[in-house]
Amino acid sequence: MSLVTLAATARFALEARKSRFLAQAIAIESAEQALAWLREIADPDATHNCWAYRLGSAYRFSDDAEPGGTAGRPILAAIDNQGFDRVMVVVTRWYGGINLGAGGLVRAYGGAAAECLRNAPRRELIATVVARL
């Protein structure tokens, strides 16, 4: 499977039991760029801003105070399952008053991220080297 990244930013909104989820994704070139974008788009009025990124063999994720393993890991799994690299996804949640449970959170965060990436414009990553003859 060849690796791909995003050709443009992508967004996907989802509602699950009165909670609203907004997944946003961008192509990244560095961890610093990923975290700077997170600071830029994280909504301080939202309940949670959960995220994950993949940059080659490096990756990071955060559940942002959701129960452990219910947000960041499913977002990272969505990135990996679709063969993306050099991608950051942030899923913002506004709590709607009904608890989703661990399984519901995994489905909502992972599903929002997966659908965001599924509909996103892609660009194939082609390994290159600089050579002088």
Side-chain angles (χ1 to χ4, degrees), residues 1-88:
M1 174 164 78
S2 64
L3 292 176
V4 295
T5 192
L6 294 173
T9 59
R11 295 169 57 106
F12 177 77
L14 167 74
E15 186 170 317
R17 299 186 66 183
K18 298 188 181 180
S19 283
R20 291 183 304 123
F21 294 83
L22 175 62
Q24 301 178 80
I26 64 163
I28 58 170
E29 294 297 325
S30 69
E32 294 77 18
Q33 178 191 10
L35 297 177
W37 185 66
L38 172 65
R39 287 188 298 274
E40 180 183 319
I41 68 153
D43 184 342
D45 294 328
T47 314
H48 305 280
N49 291 282
C50 303
W51 56 270
Y53 72 75
R54 161 74 62 198
L55 188 61
S57 62
Y59 63 89
R60 282 186 61 194
F61 57 85
S62 170
D63 294 320
D64 191 30
E66 288 283 27
T70 61
R73 281 193 187 276
I75 296 168
L76 181 62
I79 294 169
D80 291 343
N81 289 343
Q82 294 189 42
F84 277 96
D85 192 11
R86 300 181 191 170
V87 168
M88 166 84 160

